[in-house]
Amino acid sequence: MKKIIFGLLVVVIAFSCKNRTKEVKETIVLWQPYNDSIEVAVNAEHTNPRMRYKLIQSRVIDKNAIFLPLHPEVQKLSDKEYNALKPLILEQNIFTIHHHIDNNKLTYEKLVLFYLYRIYKYELNNTKTLNTIVALNKDVVNQARKLDELKKAGNESGIRHPIYGMPIVLKDNINTENMLTTAGTIALKDNKTDDAFIVQRLKENGALILGKVNLSEWAYFLCAGCPVGYSAVGGQTLNPYGRKIFETGGSSAGSGTAVAANYAVAAVGTETSGSILSPSSQNSVVGLKPTIGLLSRTGIVPISSTLDTPGPMAKNVRDAAILLDAMKGKDSSDDKSVAMQIGVLSAPLTDNDLKGRRFGAIKSLLETDSIYNATIEKLKAQGSIIVEITPPSVALDGFLSVLNIDMKHNLPTYLKQQTKSKLPIKDIQSAVVFNASDSITRIPYGQALFRGILADTTTVDELTIIVANLEKNGRHYFDDALDAHNLDAILSINNYHAAYAAVAKYPALTVPMAYKNSGEPINITFISKQFKEADLLRYASGFEAAFKVRQIPKGYN
């Protein structure tokens, strides 16, 4: 009888302890929402009207829901271990990280935990958060462990892509099967999908998808003159080089800030016109907007099937080349997709001497920007041949209509073919109605651009003519100088000439050039003709090696 009573007591105690454990887990709070009204008030008189915020933190996201699932794993990494890992990982390129793994100084699991540790360290601190992370892959640590097990057993494939085992974050308009794809809008906050084509390629090559990052809502095609890096889902993304001081750039704001703050090895952004170049420049990282068609757009929330493209964002040119190569592949579902073997993987490692390279320097920038001017002089000292150019004056008439009419047709197609959820919208018209029903939460900055889509009466036939004229004018803008002077590339600043490159469907690669006296980053941008990515990577690699500009943001080192 005593044995039975004792046995019952053990069960009761065990059940009680189990319940208490469950209660403790349920009451763990990693993050507390705060009153951001003081921060908003401080920025009310900002000299940049787009930085006069209405809110900072998201009214939608509960960071505890994002961060609790992996919290037990992150706790396994001590402060001491984290600090010991810093010299092996922080600001290191992919080849160096692989070298440490191959020599058993580092594991894939520790690599993932290092980045997660940093994300938890900064994103859960309301005085440091960049409001960058909007989702984490709850399986990523286990996926990393499996790679370690394969390595230990000697079962790794003989030929591995350099992206193998590297933690990557994705802009939250890129479909992932195990994380929602919101494009930053409440209308898509429950959007379940399969993997986008480029995500499939990343996984096939062994990349680890760490999480999703914030963006300008609807890729900055919702409100007019509103803050870049803001979305109703993720709140206001902030720049690590100056929180609430400098813009993040957009629309791939979270991709830029995540790379700058070392939250991942690299990130994937998307661009229609400037949305990779701008946040890369504002966050002192390398960003490449590829030739339209080099990377698939299938499974990416669209603006324009004419101009959209994903692209890599990284701390250095080599990593950008690796990420670009890992996403390449012919996609039969994308009518612009091409199968190109253009040698991007090896490009930054070979023939990157700047001596004898012929670059076009834009005369108006030489006259108005002292940093650009000084950089051009340094390039001359490196042996580069500089030709001062004045691009022709060309019109970009109808540019907005391309975005309007494409999105009017492309969004319903995405919603019909790519989502696996029942969503409250089916097209732009229903999205406008949905947003207007709760303007405070859903559209605090309005939806002028969405309303502009509905008002645009351009026909499909008219659009065809517009697209052809824009492409001709865009190429004329660059080709006059490229051809007349036999130039290797034209040198711009940040995203200054992104629209011309967009309509020409030309690649553009931006790399850190300097920091202004205020501390704000500024990049130099290389632009050349279609499918010249390998050449641009060589030039940018040579520039990077000679100038050694990038510095980790203070407070995130």
Side-chain angles (χ1 to χ4, degrees), residues 381-440:
Q382 292 290 323
S384 297
I385 299 166
I386 301 296
V387 179
E388 292 188 18
I389 64 170
T390 299
S393 178
V394 299
L396 296 184
D397 296 340
F399 183 91
L400 184 57
S401 285
V402 175
L403 309 189
N404 286 340
I405 306 306
D406 272 356
M407 193 167 187
K408 187 183 291 185
H409 291 97
N410 296 162
L411 181 60
T413 300
Y414 170 88
L415 295 174
K416 185 176 181 179
Q417 296 180 357
Q418 296 293 326
T419 184
K420 300 165 76 173
S421 306
K422 184 176 175 58
L423 299 172
I425 65 169
K426 61 180 181 179
D427 53 21
I428 295 295
Q429 175 66 53
S430 56
V432 168
V433 173
F434 175 84
N435 290 335
S437 67
D438 183 0
S439 60
I440 293 176

Side-chain angles (χ1 to χ4, degrees), residues 281-333:
S281 303
Q282 286 296 123
N283 291 281
S284 198
V285 302
V286 176
L288 172 60
K289 193 281 289 191
T291 305
I292 302 297
L294 183 61
L295 297 181
S296 162
R297 291 85 57 80
T298 301
I300 299 176
V301 181
I303 291 179
S304 169
S305 56
T306 304
L307 303 178
D308 288 350
T309 179
M313 299 169 69
K315 291 181 287 292
N316 58 78
V317 177
R318 290 183 180 184
D319 289 359
I322 289 169
L323 182 53
L324 175 67
D325 187 81
M327 293 188 285
K328 286 198 295 93
K330 169 71 173 174
D331 174 18
S332 60
S333 299

Side-chain angles (χ1 to χ4, degrees), residues 43-54:
N43 267 53
E45 301 300 323
H46 199 288
T47 54
N48 181 349
R50 293 198 307 193
M51 294 193 69
R52 296 168 189 170
Y53 304 135
K54 293 187 177 182

Side-chain angles (χ1 to χ4, degrees), residues 222-247:
L222 171 65
C223 46
C226 52
V228 290
Y230 168 80
S231 78
V233 169
Q236 181 62 54
T237 315
L238 302 172
N239 189 322
Y241 289 94
R243 293 174 78 254
K244 297 166 289 178
I245 300 171
F246 306 134
E247 284 191 306

